[in-house]
Amino acid sequence: MIEILLFASLKEKTGHSKISWDEAPLTVNELKEKLKRTVPGLEEIDHLMIAVNEVYALEGQVINEGDVVALIPPVSGG
Amino acid sequence: MGKLFEIVNSPIAVQDVINKVIDPNAGAINTFIGTVREMTNGKKTLYLEYEAYIPMAEAQLKRIGGEIKSKWPESRTAITHRIGRLNISDVAVVICVSTPHRDAAFQASRYAIERIKEIVPIWKKEYWEDGEFWVGDQLETKSYPKGRPTGGESQ
């Protein structure tokens, strides 16, 4: 199982701050495609950054069992 | 003394951040204080809420500190960013950089705030009189054309 964290606008759009995903391993891109199809509010996930275990991930990176994935909307700190 | 790079929920004591970079070899400490602005493009903000992915945000702040260290080896950097509800003029972020000479301290603190706006997972929600809005990036383009923030690779 992998844990998916949602923040800010995504948390509000989906109504979830955390989603458990029962499928691993898979690539960042594969996860994006699946989330887009199955989770209402994540239709625009293509434009998001993904972090795996607190590090920005590339599209082809493999997500393994036990990893923590975060969906990162455009940041606006400072 | 707290961590050099931290996210906090309460008001930031600016002097505490300055104290973290005091160095006998320093001839300058540059302190940047980011505050909550009331008017943006003619629109009045009532207050803001910041949210962060705290462990990653602190790791990214630390990464920025590392980048500064490699560009200005004799520098010391401390950054504190506040989250939660902030009112107008509240301090949202404090960046302190000490260096032997002033030019590097100015440059490095400028570098830090620009990088924060690019790679640190912190989000700002604006509350206006007539609504609310999660701000995208600072250019308000609301997406990353290249799929990730420039230079955000954590290697």
Side-chain angles (χ1 to χ4, degrees):
Chain A
M1 202 187 69
I2 58 179
E3 190 174 63
I4 302 168
L5 306 177
L6 298 89
F7 299 94
S9 54
L10 293 179
K11 188 164 68 181
E12 289 181 5
K13 275 189 205 163
T14 61
H16 300 290
S17 59
K18 199 181 282 187
I19 296 172
S20 295
W21 196 260
D22 228 358
E23 188 187 351
L26 77 179
T27 66
V28 166
N29 233 352
E30 287 165 349
L31 179 65
K32 275 184 166 181
E33 283 303 313
K34 287 167 195 257
L35 288 171
K36 188 162 69 174
R37 286 202 304 269
T38 56
V39 182
L42 292 183
E43 293 80 7
E44 293 173 33
I45 196 173
D46 286 345
H47 299 291
L48 298 179
M49 287 297 304
I50 305 284
V52 177
N53 300 330
E54 300 171 12
V55 175
Y56 288 114
L58 294 169
E59 301 278 308
Q61 185 171 329
V62 175
I63 303 166
N64 291 302
E65 180 71 24
D67 283 349
V68 177
V69 172
L71 310 185
I72 313 267
V75 303
S76 50
Chain B
M1 192 180 283
K3 292 178 279 189
L4 288 178
F5 304 96
E6 66 178 343
I7 305 293
V8 298
N9 274 294
S10 49
I12 303 170
V14 177
Q15 186 64 46
D16 289 351
V17 188
I18 295 171
N19 290 345
K20 294 175 189 174
V21 302
I22 289 175
D23 185 330
N25 293 320
I29 297 177
N30 190 276
T31 302
F32 174 84
I33 302 173
T35 60
V36 177
R37 177 178 57 242
E38 183 171 46
M39 300 301 295
T40 298
N41 301 326
K43 200 148 186 170
K44 186 177 179 179
T45 298
L46 300 178
Y47 61 95
L48 297 181
E49 265 179 30
Y50 283 99
E51 181 180 333
Y53 180 15
I54 295 173
M56 183 172 169
E58 290 186 337
Q60 292 292 93
L61 290 177
K62 194 172 176 183
R63 174 194 161 88
I64 293 169
E67 291 173 357
I68 289 173
K69 193 79 179 172
S70 63
K71 286 173 178 285
W72 297 279
E74 294 172 289
S75 65
R76 291 176 69 164
T77 303
I79 305 173
T80 302
H81 200 301
R82 184 179 171 189
I83 56 172
R85 177 177 164 151
L86 275 74
N87 294 314
I88 305 305
S89 298
D90 279 352
V91 174
V93 61
V94 176
I95 298 165
C96 294
V97 184
S98 67
T99 56
H101 301 282
R102 65 187 180 281
D103 190 40
F106 278 114
Q107 285 184 44
S109 61
R110 176 66 192 259
Y111 178 85
I113 187 64
E114 301 304 335
R115 289 295 275 156
I116 286 171
K117 288 169 184 289
E118 288 172 353
I119 66 166
V120 181
I122 298 174
W123 301 275
K124 173 169 74 175
K125 190 176 193 177
E126 296 255 9
Y127 287 83
W128 297 308
E129 285 162 315
D130 60 346
E132 57 191 55
F133 173 69
W134 280 107
V135 180
D137 58 42
Q138 302 293 301
L139 304 170
E140 306 204 351
T141 54
K142 294 192 72 184
S143 69
Y144 296 118
K146 290 177 191 159
R148 58 193 330 210
T150 313
E153 301 81 3
S154 296
Q155 296 303 326

